[in-house]
């Protein structure tokens, strides 16, 4: 059975550990098999690129690298705090509920 990642694409998350602890960003991609996520603006890696039509200089660009999903926590859109969630089966399938404010996230 595939890992169930607690966050999904488009979620805002808070970084719990590492050099970028305390920062937040939006999930760009989830890689469930590796339990990893790519977060906009977090864990940036410098990449050397060749000149292209849009970037005629080539050179170094920074792009976010995958990081462990356990290092981030979902920021609840209702209470705007990094929050633990629980899952509940509702009329429209499983919804995630913020344990802090008890509001549904999805
Ligand atoms: Zn909340």
């Amino acid at each position: 059975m595939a890992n169930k990642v607690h966050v999904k694409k488009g979620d805002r998350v808070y970084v719990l550990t590492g050099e970028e602890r305390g920062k937040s960003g939006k999930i760009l991609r989830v890689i469930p098999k590796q339990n990893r996520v790519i977060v906009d603006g977090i864990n940036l890696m410098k990449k050397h690129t060749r000149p292209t039509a849009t970037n005629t200089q080539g050179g170094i660009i920074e792009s976010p690298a995958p990081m462990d999903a356990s290092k981030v926590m979902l920021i609840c859109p209702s209470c705007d705090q990094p929050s633990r969630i629980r899952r509940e089966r509702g009329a429209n399938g499983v919804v995630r509920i913020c344990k802090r404010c008890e509001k549904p996230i999805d």
Side-chain angles (χ1 to χ4, degrees):
M1 202 176 108
N3 284 329
K4 193 82 181 170
V5 183
H6 68 292
V7 287
K8 58 188 189 185
K9 191 176 168 185
D11 281 345
R12 263 182 73 216
V13 295
Y14 175 89
V15 181
L16 294 170
T17 58
E19 275 177 38
E20 296 180 288
R21 183 158 49 111
K23 286 190 185 176
S24 62
K26 200 167 142 188
I27 301 267
L28 296 178
R29 224 179 112 197
V30 177
I31 309 162
K33 276 183 186 167
Q34 297 171 23
N35 199 37
R36 284 175 164 241
V37 294
I38 297 176
V39 185
D40 191 21
I42 308 290
N43 201 26
L44 293 174
M45 295 293 205
K46 287 187 171 67
K47 265 188 192 169
H48 294 266
T49 57
R50 288 159 180 244
T52 60
T54 50
N55 180 6
T56 52
Q57 296 287 305
I60 298 167
I61 55 157
E62 288 194 321
S63 69
M67 59 190 287
D68 206 288
S70 65
K71 289 183 180 165
V72 301
M73 198 172 207
L74 180 66
I75 296 175
C76 168
S78 299
C79 60
D80 205 34
Q81 297 285 326
S83 306
R84 293 196 176 278
I85 56 153
R86 65 166 198 270
R87 289 168 196 278
E88 264 185 21
R89 201 170 292 273
N92 302 314
V94 177
V95 290
R96 296 177 301 171
I97 307 228
C98 170
K99 284 190 176 177
R100 202 182 283 264
C101 66
E102 297 291 318
K103 293 218 171 79
I105 287 156
D106 298 295

